[in-house]
Amino acid sequence: MEKHWLVRPKTIRLLWIVMLGVLAVTVLLQLGIEIHGEFHIDETFGFGAWYGLGTCAVMVIGAKILGAVIKRKDTYYD
Amino acid sequence: MIAQFPALQVVIPLLGAPLCIILRRGALPWLIALLVSWAALAMAATLLSQVADGEIISYALGGWLAPLGIEYRIDTLNAFMLLLVAGTSSAVLPFAYKSVAKEIPQDRHYLFYSGFLLMLTGLLGMAITGDAFNVFVFIEISSLSSYAMIAMGRDRRALSAAFTYLVMGTVGATFFLIGVGLIYAVTGTLNMADLAERLPPLYQSRTVLAAFAFISVGILLKLALFPLHLWLPNAYTYAPSVVTAFLAATATKVAIYLLLRFGYTVFGAEFVFNIVPASEVLLTLALAGVIIASFVAIFQSDVKRLLAYSSVAQIGYIILGISYANVTGLTASIVHIFNHAVTKGALFLVMGCVAYAAGACRLESFAGLGKRMPLTMAAFVIAGLSLIGVPLTAGFISKWYLVLGAMEKGWWPVAAVILATSLLAAVYVWRVVEIAYFRDAPADAPPLSDPPLALLVPTWVLTGACVYFGIETSLSLGFAEQAAIQLMGGG
Amino acid sequence: MISGLPPGLILIAGAVAIPFVGPTIRKGLVLALPVLTLALIWGTGIDAGTVWSAPFMGYAVSPVRYAPTGMLFATVFSIMAFGGALFALRSARPSEMAAAFLYAGSAIGVVFAGDLITLFVFWEIMAIGSTMVVWNGSSDAARRAGLRYALIHFFGGIVLMIGLIGHIEATGSITFDVMQADAWPRWLILAGFLINAGAWPLSSWIPDAYPEASPAGMVFLSAFTTKTAVFVLLVGFPGTQALIYVGLFMIFYGIIYALLENDMRRILAYSIVNQVGFMVVGIGIGTEMALNGAAAHAFAHIIYKGLLLMSAGSVLYMTGKRKCSDLGGLFQSMPITATCGIIGALAISAFPLTSGFISKSMINQSAADQHMMVVWLLLTAASAGVFLHAGIKFPWFVFFQKDSGLRPPDPPWNMRAAMIFFAALCLLIGVFPQPLYALLPAPVAFVPYTGAHVVGQLQLLLFSGLAFFLLLPLMKRTLTVSLDVDWLYRRAAPAVIAWIARDLRELSDGVLGGTRAQVGSIIDSMAHYHGPAGLLARTLPTGRTVFWVLVILAAFLVFNFS
């Protein structure tokens, strides 16, 4: 059985390229649109981009570390 | 005619009893008992409506005026208790026809109904009379007949239960009589209103103090306050279904009425709460009773017995309200007397339905009843919610006022205990519900279905009352509050 | 006459009728009654004020009070009841449908309550209805989880009731209005509300009980309990600063636990805590815009969370599997379920053009307007985290990732219709926010669609997406559960009690020379004292009673003569 077109390696590679392109566009859009922040930090260039990437990494890694302590086999309470 | 209602209230049931023995054929005794009870209910309702505005009816029995003759004296609390007793018997007697037919041999039916009417007479008399010795007479009428009624239970253990009750009940009645004798010795009167006037100057008298101790211990034994409750569980467990429902709803409640009457009217709140440490004693025993009896109930394996221990705990709540010695607490107690009577009446009638269909009320015999007897178990769930005190049931009203009264005193730990023990009630009700709804009946179980309408209708009348009095509170709460204010001397 | 009817009563009456009618009438009834409720909310011409009062327990209670916030919540509750009923139309048993309607009706009862007693009455009925919904999951696990759920809510009810009675006793007023958390009765009321909101430490009941309900059951459960709690906080405690911290904790608690979770519906359950956290923060900030934002977010959240759970429920219904590690690749055979799930995921992540965007940005903006930089930064990080744990994680692991080989079709028509209806609502509200803004308690000056907002949000979300795929190796699904506060009452407490019981036994063995046959656990040892033959339950000896009679008599006499 042939794989669904969406999950063929070729499509996935294409999706990655498109996605990276979109990411670049959203950051570059900021050149044309001025962002008025309430604080200084949110007026830095590409704030949403670097802040989103950074905090997500912190959260995933934080969860991973916490998980090492609190994860149990899913039959734990049975 | 209406002027004679106070006397007829007691005399009609009293005459009904021998009539049952004379006309002993077929369903006649049942019919007599039913009609007598309904007549008593009508009279109680009339009397209650007459005292609704705070008036007090005084009736001289046989035309002999108080304090020499026996006075029947009806204020809001009396009338309320009369309504409760007559109302309960009127609700359970329709149930009795089929239930008694199943549980008691045919040739003893006339004795059963005759005894039932005597029990009714005694309880109504206790609630109506204004004479201390007359109270003792009616205690004995109701007690002796109830020993006989309990002994009619199917289980052989009913005999020993009745015997135990007889011994303890006699101890209680005797203590009561000793106490009455003592106050008669110092005051020379037995009329309650008269006593209330003559006792205050004698408050420091040791005789009066001893009399109070004897009377209250005697009554506490009759009302089964922990740890004087030991007669109650077996009596409730082994008595015929109808008797259990009627006794649980009324007998201990009338005894509580006596406690209120002697405490507030005869001896006076000043004496009871300021000279004698009644508040502390009652508070301690009530809290111990509520907590321990609730735990004990959780571990029972017979549902009737479970409910009996629950009654001991509920009596603790009622006494707790009295120990606050404020109007809110007293209102809570009186309204809980009523609400608990309705709730326990409903629950014990459910037990009657289960006993009728399944033959026993052991916990394991409830397996699968949720599906097999849906209407019966639905009634159990609703009445059980009332026992726990869930909103829109009668039990909630009582719980609210009990907590409110505790808050007025600043006794918030007591408020926490009241609510925490309602969690225990949830646990013991849950044990039954869980088995009925979540456990399947064993494969070899005989087919069961809801009992006939003759049993279901009375059960659902009381179950409906659990909800009705949880929403429409002007009757129960209104009269309870008025009675509380009258007792506290404000009316 | 009809105009004074409490709107919640329609669904409650339906709950009573449902078990007694045939299947055809039942289907008509469950779809018609929510519509009728909507008509009663909006069609009577009343838009403010207490409609009538009645005596109850010696107080004058007001069961019907029209106010903008209450009407907003009642509206979305009715929509939810309709959507949930449509989704459950064919799969739910009558008992489950009845429980769900009792639950929904009492939730509407709470938001129309004009006084604290009415509020408490409906609050407790809601607990009963929702417990019954959990039990209709019909498994042993559902029975146990339902019991834990009931006990927590029973406990919450006790806390609330002590607080309410203390408050009423002290102030003499039963009106439900703004309160200051300044004395213990109000603290207890606040705590009671927060328990139902799923605030830590009593939050684990949400991921514990909700996923044990049936596919349709959890759709209902996700909507009412926590959102009525948001409503009462909104009306009773706006601007209470402590709520900001409580809410922030809920937000990150939800994200972290959802990231660790493997069960798809439990992921969504943690995400409820997370989303309610946003609303609680908004209530804590307490400005007009923040409160508007909290209300709007509750409205939007109920719909997209319902949609997400319908999508997850459809997967569970068609495959019988609930763990991410067993699922994957379902987009191929369940295109409608996958599409609707993705729309819900976008809405919860607050993508522009979805309902989440126009509501959540109000809360974030109000934090910025108040110059609360730390709060704003945390909320912004949390917005990224929402996309991470719910926006991508849920659709990715269920519908894509590795191919599980499962090829179930889309669910029956009623489930598809319910999903499409809710998906359309998510988009409609996102594109045309004005009708929702018009329902909010205060006038709205906020403009969601500015270039800066949209670009900032797109950057944040898309780069979170990038982070997700870059860090995917760290998020491998494992067959695990995560310990939570419920460990205390599911494991620690029983163990401690058993340990104490053993210790006591050893002690008594020592004291009594080990002669007594001992019981095996605390239950047994308690049964020993309390059981049918126990010391405290023994009924035969008349001598014992006489002993107590003498003790009490002596107590009276000693007190008297001393």
Side-chain angles (χ1 to χ4, degrees):
Chain A
M1 196 176 79
E2 200 177 351
K3 275 190 163 178
H4 193 280
W5 63 268
L6 196 60
V7 290
R8 288 174 205 156
K10 220 171 104 185
T11 328
I12 290 174
R13 202 175 318 124
L14 187 71
L15 281 174
W16 268 105
I17 294 165
V18 171
M19 184 172 149
L20 290 173
V22 171
L23 289 174
V25 169
T26 56
V27 177
L28 293 175
L29 268 177
Q30 207 179 337
L31 294 173
I33 298 166
E34 203 180 333
I35 292 186
H36 292 286
E38 297 290 332
F39 319 103
H40 292 298
I41 188 171
D42 52 348
E43 290 177 340
T44 53
F45 184 72
F47 168 76
W50 67 259
Y51 190 70
L53 194 65
T55 51
C56 281
V58 171
M59 280 184 273
V60 170
I61 292 163
K64 186 82 185 167
I65 293 167
L66 189 65
V69 183
I70 62 169
K71 273 193 176 185
R72 292 290 183 280
K73 273 208 170 58
D74 63 355
T75 51
Y76 180 75
Y77 286 119
D78 296 343
Chain B
M1 177 68 180
I2 288 180
Q4 305 302 321
F5 271 13
L8 292 174
Q9 181 82 73
V10 180
V11 169
I12 289 183
L14 187 64
L15 293 179
L19 201 61
C20 285
I21 296 182
I22 298 165
L23 305 170
R24 63 172 72 175
R25 298 251 298 267
L28 269 178
W30 170 74
L31 197 62
I32 293 166
L34 185 70
L35 292 177
V36 164
S37 170
W38 283 0
L41 177 62
M43 286 186 281
T46 314
L47 289 175
L48 185 61
S49 71
Q50 283 179 330
V51 298
D53 52 1
E55 196 188 331
I56 293 172
I57 301 173
S58 172
Y59 180 89
L61 205 61
W64 295 83
L65 290 178
L68 285 175
I70 292 170
E71 181 194 19
Y72 280 6
R73 197 176 164 82
I74 302 157
D75 65 7
T76 312
L77 183 59
N78 297 102
F80 195 57
M81 293 308 300
L82 292 174
L83 184 80
L84 177 69
V85 172
T88 311
S89 77
S90 301
V92 302
L93 274 170
F95 185 95
Y97 185 64
K98 291 241 164 174
S99 177
V100 168
K102 186 114 173 178
E103 293 182 16
I104 292 170
Q106 172 73 37
D107 59 344
R108 284 199 282 178
H109 283 184
Y110 70 100
L111 288 174
F112 177 90
Y113 290 110
S114 159
F116 191 96
L117 284 181
L118 282 177
M119 205 156 62
L120 180 65
T121 308
L123 293 172
L124 288 171
M126 282 155 79
I128 203 171
T129 185
D131 183 278
F133 182 75
N134 202 224
V135 168
F136 171 75
V137 173
F138 282 119
I139 289 181
E140 285 300 312
I141 292 179
S142 81
S143 301
L144 290 171
S145 51
S146 53
Y147 308 144
M149 307 294 291
I150 292 166
M152 285 191 188
R154 273 192 289 194
D155 199 303
R156 273 177 50 217
R157 283 169 290 187
L159 283 177
S160 73
F163 178 73
T164 314
Y165 185 22
L166 184 144
V167 172
M168 299 191 192
T170 308
V171 171
T174 311
F175 269 52
F176 179 80
L177 188 61
I178 293 171
V180 170
L182 289 174
I183 48 174
Y184 181 64
V186 287
T187 61
T189 182
L190 287 168
N191 181 285
M192 291 183 190
D194 208 22
L195 281 169
E197 283 171 22
R198 296 195 198 184
L199 277 173
L202 301 167
Y203 274 170
Q204 297 307 326
S205 148
R206 296 201 164 183
T207 318
V208 173
L209 291 167
F212 176 74
F214 275 101
I215 288 177
S216 27
V217 173
I219 295 176
L220 291 182
L221 189 56
K222 291 303 284 185
L223 64 79
L225 179 65
F226 179 90
L228 306 178
H229 65 284
L230 295 174
W231 59 267
L232 184 146
N234 278 345
Y236 282 14
T237 310
Y238 301 120
S241 303
V242 178
V243 175
T244 306
F246 182 65
L247 280 183
T250 57
T252 49
K253 309 302 179 293
V254 174
I256 294 170
Y257 154 79
L258 288 181
L259 186 70
L260 293 175
R261 181 58 76 208
F262 275 86
Y264 282 96
T265 308
V266 175
F267 286 95
E270 155 71 16
F271 176 79
V272 173
F273 292 109
N274 293 344
I275 298 178
V276 181
S279 183
E280 290 80 355
V281 172
L282 292 182
L283 177 71
T284 315
L285 296 181
L287 283 178
V290 166
I291 297 168
I292 294 175
S294 299
F295 268 116
V296 174
I298 291 176
F299 291 99
Q300 295 308 308
S301 51
D302 182 296
V303 183
K304 259 180 119 175
R305 202 179 175 79
L306 179 157
L307 292 174
Y309 275 106
S310 153
S311 279
V312 176
Q314 302 290 326
I315 289 163
Y317 286 123
I318 297 171
I319 300 301
L320 192 61
I322 297 173
S323 77
Y324 298 168
N326 60 19
V327 171
T328 310
L330 200 51
T331 305
S333 292
I334 298 171
V335 82
H336 196 46
I337 288 175
F338 183 85
N339 288 340
H340 179 247
V342 170
T343 307
K344 262 304 155 45
L347 284 168
F348 276 120
L349 286 192
V350 169
M351 292 306 115
C353 292
V354 174
Y356 183 88
C361 292
R362 286 186 319 277
L363 205 48
E364 63 265 34
S365 57
F366 276 71
L369 285 195
K371 279 209 189 73
R372 304 196 298 163
M373 300 174 68
L375 290 173
T376 310
M377 285 317 292
F380 182 87
V381 170
I382 294 174
L385 290 177
S386 178
L387 193 60
I388 299 167
V390 170
L392 298 189
T393 63
F396 176 69
I397 314 292
S398 321
K399 195 163 86 175
W400 182 279
Y401 271 83
L402 270 176
V403 175
L404 188 67
M407 294 278 185
E408 277 178 18
K409 292 284 277 191
W411 291 355
W412 60 267
V414 173
V417 168
I418 294 166
L419 293 174
T421 46
S422 68
L423 191 64
L424 297 180
V427 173
Y428 58 67
V429 170
W430 164 251
R431 284 194 71 209
V432 181
V433 172
E434 180 182 34
I435 288 176
Y437 284 90
F438 292 97
R439 192 181 295 175
D440 289 328
D444 58 342
L448 288 184
S449 61
D450 275 318
L453 283 179
L455 299 187
L456 274 184
V457 170
T459 308
W460 271 94
V461 165
L462 281 181
T463 307
C466 290
V467 177
Y468 178 82
F469 291 111
I471 298 170
E472 163 54 40
T473 56
S474 58
L475 176 73
S476 52
L477 195 59
F479 282 116
E481 197 157 27
Q482 187 178 328
I485 292 169
Q486 272 181 358
L487 278 181
M488 296 291 266
Chain C
M1 184 58 223
I2 192 86
S3 63
L5 206 66
L9 229 47
I10 295 181
L11 297 187
I12 293 177
V16 175
I18 284 168
F20 298 102
V21 298
T24 320
I25 300 176
R26 185 162 62 238
K27 284 177 187 168
L29 208 58
V30 296
L31 293 179
L33 291 179
V35 179
L36 203 61
T37 309
L38 269 181
L40 191 59
I41 298 168
W42 293 103
T44 57
I46 310 168
D47 57 2
T50 298
V51 180
W52 50 273
S53 293
F56 176 63
M57 284 203 313
Y59 304 93
V61 297
S62 340
V64 192
R65 180 174 71 178
Y66 280 75
T69 318
M71 290 164 80
L72 174 80
F73 275 80
T75 304
V76 69
F77 286 167
S78 312
I79 295 174
M80 186 65 217
F82 177 82
L86 180 60
F87 186 78
L89 204 57
R90 288 150 52 112
S91 63
R93 285 179 299 170
S95 63
E96 182 171 20
M97 201 65 110
F101 269 58
L102 182 68
Y103 178 35
S106 48
I108 295 175
V110 169
V111 299
F112 268 93
D115 64 276
L116 295 165
I117 293 174
T118 307
L119 187 152
F120 184 75
V121 167
F122 282 117
W123 193 264
E124 294 288 272
I125 300 175
M126 200 167 65
I128 294 173
S130 52
T131 305
M132 283 159 59
V133 173
V134 176
W135 277 333
N136 271 291
S138 309
S139 64
D140 219 31
R143 184 179 58 78
R144 287 198 303 267
L147 188 58
R148 286 193 293 273
Y149 176 90
L151 287 176
I152 297 234
H153 284 276
F154 204 97
F155 172 74
I158 288 174
V159 172
L160 183 59
M161 187 167 165
I162 299 188
L164 288 180
I165 295 182
H167 173 75
I168 292 169
E169 205 270 316
T171 64
S173 158
I174 60 165
T175 313
F176 175 42
D177 224 323
V178 178
M179 289 175 267
Q180 298 302 323
D182 53 4
W184 65 267
R186 258 84 67 198
W187 281 112
L188 287 179
I189 295 175
L190 183 61
F193 287 172
L194 280 173
I195 289 174
N196 264 26
W200 199 84
L202 286 180
S203 52
S204 41
W205 57 268
I206 295 180
D208 177 25
Y210 284 8
E212 302 305 333
S214 76
M218 188 169 172
V219 172
F220 282 106
L221 288 167
S222 73
F224 301 115
T225 303
T226 48
K227 258 58 77 185
T228 44
V230 168
F231 166 81
V232 293
L233 289 170
L234 197 60
V235 175
F237 294 96
T240 305
Q241 209 178 3
L243 290 179
I244 299 180
Y245 311 115
V246 173
L248 284 172
F249 195 97
M250 292 169 74
I251 289 174
F252 286 98
Y253 161 89
I255 293 176
I256 300 291
Y257 273 83
L259 283 174
L260 293 172
E261 188 52 57
N262 185 33
D263 181 315
M264 62 173 170
R265 290 199 303 163
R266 205 168 282 157
I267 293 175
L268 296 175
Y270 282 118
S271 135
I272 294 176
V273 181
N274 160 277
Q275 292 293 306
V276 171
F278 277 99
M279 300 167 212
V280 171
V281 170
I283 296 164
I285 294 173
T287 60
E288 222 169 51
M289 176 149 85
L291 297 178
N292 269 344
H297 201 49
F299 193 104
H301 168 77
I302 286 173
I303 292 170
Y304 59 66
K305 181 62 74 182
L307 175 58
L308 282 166
L309 283 165
M310 286 176 187
S311 173
S314 299
V315 170
L316 174 62
Y317 186 67
M318 300 309 292
T319 65
K321 295 186 191 305
R322 46 194 277 188
K323 291 174 182 159
C324 289
S325 44
D326 297 338
L327 295 164
L330 296 180
F331 79 97
Q332 304 183 37
S333 58
M334 304 180 80
I336 296 176
T337 309
T339 310
C340 291
I342 290 169
I343 292 174
L346 292 177
I348 197 174
S349 320
F351 250 83
L353 300 184
T354 64
S355 53
F357 179 70
I358 61 111
S359 58
K360 190 157 70 183
S361 48
M362 291 170 90
I363 299 174
N364 289 14
Q365 187 61 44
S366 61
D369 289 348
Q370 295 304 106
H371 304 289
M372 301 171 167
M373 187 171 85
V374 176
V375 175
W376 183 83
L377 281 175
L378 289 172
L379 286 177
T380 308
S383 301
V386 172
F387 190 44
L388 204 61
H389 83 268
I392 310 184
K393 182 178 173 178
F394 164 69
W396 172 257
F397 281 110
V398 173
F399 297 113
F400 302 101
Q401 64 151 342
K402 62 165 199 346
D403 190 352
S404 61
L406 299 169
R407 290 289 183 275
D410 266 320
W413 70 267
N414 63 303
M415 293 186 166
R416 294 199 305 266
M419 285 191 286
I420 293 170
F421 172 50
F422 271 30
L425 278 178
C426 286
L427 296 174
L428 275 175
I429 295 171
V431 178
F432 305 107
Q434 287 314 323
L436 174 59
Y437 284 176
L439 296 182
L440 295 182
V444 179
F446 179 71
V447 181
Y449 289 108
T450 64
H453 267 151
V454 173
V455 168
Q457 183 74 356
L458 282 178
Q459 282 183 5
L460 186 74
L461 295 180
L462 293 176
F463 276 84
S464 310
L466 179 66
F468 179 86
F469 287 107
L470 289 177
L471 298 169
L472 206 49
L474 288 181
M475 288 191 274
K476 243 180 95 154
R477 295 298 82 224
T478 49
L479 279 171
T480 53
V481 291
S482 306
L483 299 185
D484 198 343
V485 174
D486 60 350
W487 180 82
L488 287 177
Y489 53 81
R490 293 174 74 176
R491 267 301 173 88
V496 168
I497 292 171
W499 181 72
I500 292 174
R502 201 189 51 218
D503 242 39
L504 275 181
R505 195 164 64 239
E506 276 165 12
L507 188 71
S508 66
D509 274 355
V511 171
L512 301 170
T515 51
R516 284 169 53 185
Q518 290 299 331
V519 281
S521 72
I522 182 63
I523 301 295
D524 289 352
S525 80
M526 290 192 67
H528 182 71
Y529 291 104
H530 295 290
L535 182 65
L536 293 167
R538 249 174 249 162
T539 38
L540 267 183
T542 40
R544 193 180 308 276
T545 302
V546 174
F547 168 74
W548 282 112
V549 165
L550 291 177
V551 167
I552 296 172
L553 186 67
F556 267 118
L557 295 177
V558 167
F559 273 123
N560 291 348
F561 296 112
S562 59

